Amino acid sequence: MSDIRTPDAHTREGARADVIHDIGYRHYEGPRLGPGYATRSLYTSSLRGAFGLGRSGKSKILPMAMCVIMALPAVIMVAVSVYLKSGKLPIEYTYYLTIMQFVIAVFTAAQAPVLFSRDLRFMTVPLYFSRPLRSSDYVRAKFAAMASAIFILTMLPMLIMWIGSMLGSMAFTYNLEHFGYGVLAAALYALVYAGIGSLLASLTPRRGFGVAAIIATFMVSQGLAQAIFGVMRFKGHEVSGHWVAMLNPGMLIDSTVQWIFNVPNDRPNIGVPSTLGGVVFLVWIAVLVCGTFALLVRRYRKI
């Protein structure tokens, strides 16, 4: 007769009660893929969810609309430049992302709560694991999915602009180089916005509260930074006024990328106060990314 033990017997022997146990009914002979595969599965599922894939049609409307809004000005700009044979795009790659940072903020505010707040509200995930994920694995998968979604959103117009420059027979080396600057800026936007948005979304199980908190954070920081810079420039402290970029992610990233690659800049509100200021901006970006991720891990260890 087969040795069939009850779950209580397993618990008495010290086995964990929150995992699947072999109690003798049917032995599993298949591969055991481990926590790495589970983390990747959660990442893939979350990334698809950020764009409404695998969900209802209503869930796809907002993220897809944000992608269209993000890309449409780039399409029009490229079409006009090619038609007029201007030989150069009217807007730099990195500056385009600064102009469109409101769209990035809306996308982050709308989708970060989808990835984080829903799980908190219902205390479940749309996948079934034979072993529970560690909190750090969960955060890593969700953070990576949110950052990847924002990176896809920001890279879409960059690709359109670069392909358009090639179709318009514009300077290949120049556009390839500045496209690279745009890729770096898109990566920084993805990491910083994902960090801030994910952390705020993890603080409440209510999706509406998460959306409002994220939008308010990005919009208030942008308005405050621009207002303070305007006052300091009016008082004759324009160089010192560049420190306010630390208050707004968009200004911070644009100023840092401009400084790293020494890109010519005619915008008064974009720039670094000094070489030391450029280093401080880089460190501040690292602090924002690493700090928000560490706080996320700490948050989910308590849940």
Side-chain angles (χ1 to χ4, degrees):
M1 185 171 67
S2 62
D3 180 17
I4 301 177
R5 292 184 285 178
T6 65
D8 290 340
H10 281 274
T11 304
R12 287 195 299 270
E13 293 176 9
R16 294 179 59 175
D18 58 353
V19 299
I20 296 175
H21 299 291
D22 178 11
I23 58 176
Y25 295 110
R26 183 180 228 176
H27 189 63
Y28 177 70
E29 299 290 349
R32 299 187 180 274
L33 301 175
Y37 183 82
T39 303
R40 290 193 298 273
S41 298
L42 181 60
Y43 163 78
T44 303
S45 173
S46 300
L47 180 57
R48 286 170 53 84
F51 290 99
L53 302 178
R55 300 174 60 202
S56 65
K58 182 180 177 182
S59 300
K60 298 179 178 68
I61 294 176
L62 185 57
M64 295 305 173
M66 292 297 101
C67 289
V68 172
I69 294 172
M70 192 74 181
L72 187 58
V75 173
I76 296 174
M77 180 178 65
V78 166
V80 172
S81 299
V82 172
Y83 178 76
L84 296 177
K85 298 180 180 179
S86 59
K88 185 179 180 180
L89 295 173
I91 297 177
E92 286 289 340
Y93 292 84
T94 56
Y95 186 38
Y96 185 91
L97 295 180
T98 304
I99 294 174
M100 302 298 289
Q101 63 176 299
F102 175 75
V103 180
I104 305 173
V106 171
F107 179 85
T108 305
Q111 301 313 113
V114 172
L115 269 62
F116 288 89
S117 298
R118 288 195 313 164
D119 292 357
L120 284 174
R121 183 174 183 180
F122 299 107
M123 298 305 288
T124 185
V125 295
L127 297 176
Y128 185 80
F129 303 108
S130 61
R131 295 290 188 274
L133 281 178
R134 295 176 301 177
S135 58
S136 59
D137 292 332
Y138 175 88
V139 171
R140 191 179 301 113
K142 290 285 186 173
F143 183 93
M146 191 69 241
S148 297
I150 298 173
F151 184 70
I152 292 171
L153 177 76
T154 51
M155 276 301 299
L156 185 59
M158 299 293 100
L159 285 170
I160 292 172
M161 292 169 67
W162 183 69
I163 294 172
S165 70
M166 296 300 97
L167 295 176
S169 300
M170 301 177 192
F172 175 79
T173 303
Y174 176 89
N175 280 280
L176 181 61
E177 181 181 356
H178 285 253
F179 172 71
Y181 304 161
V183 172
L184 176 61
L188 293 177
Y189 267 101
L191 291 171
V192 173
Y193 274 66
I196 296 172
S198 299
L199 179 61
L200 292 174
S202 71
L203 298 178
T204 174
R206 298 290 181 179
R207 181 180 176 183
F209 292 163
V211 171
I214 297 169
I215 281 287
T217 298
F218 285 127
M219 294 301 100
V220 170
S221 69
Q222 182 180 1
L224 185 62
Q226 291 179 344
I228 295 175
F229 177 81
V231 172
M232 295 189 72
R233 187 187 183 197
F234 178 77
K235 295 293 185 180
H237 302 291
E238 181 175 326
V239 175
S240 299
H242 287 139
W243 286 106
V244 302
M246 297 179 69
L247 298 176
N248 177 245
M251 293 174 63
L252 174 67
I253 293 168
D254 197 359
S255 298
T256 304
V257 173
Q258 295 279 354
W259 171 73
I260 291 174
F261 298 109
N262 196 25
V263 179
N265 172 38
D266 57 357
R267 290 167 284 149
N269 63 330
I270 298 298
V272 297
S274 61
T275 301
L276 175 62
V279 175
V280 171
F281 282 12
L282 272 175
V283 172
W284 182 235
I285 290 174
V287 168
L288 285 175
V289 176
C290 298
T292 51
F293 181 82
L295 289 173
L296 269 173
V297 173
R298 182 178 180 183
R299 162 72 172 152
Y300 276 90
R301 281 176 179 166
K302 296 180 178 181
I303 297 175

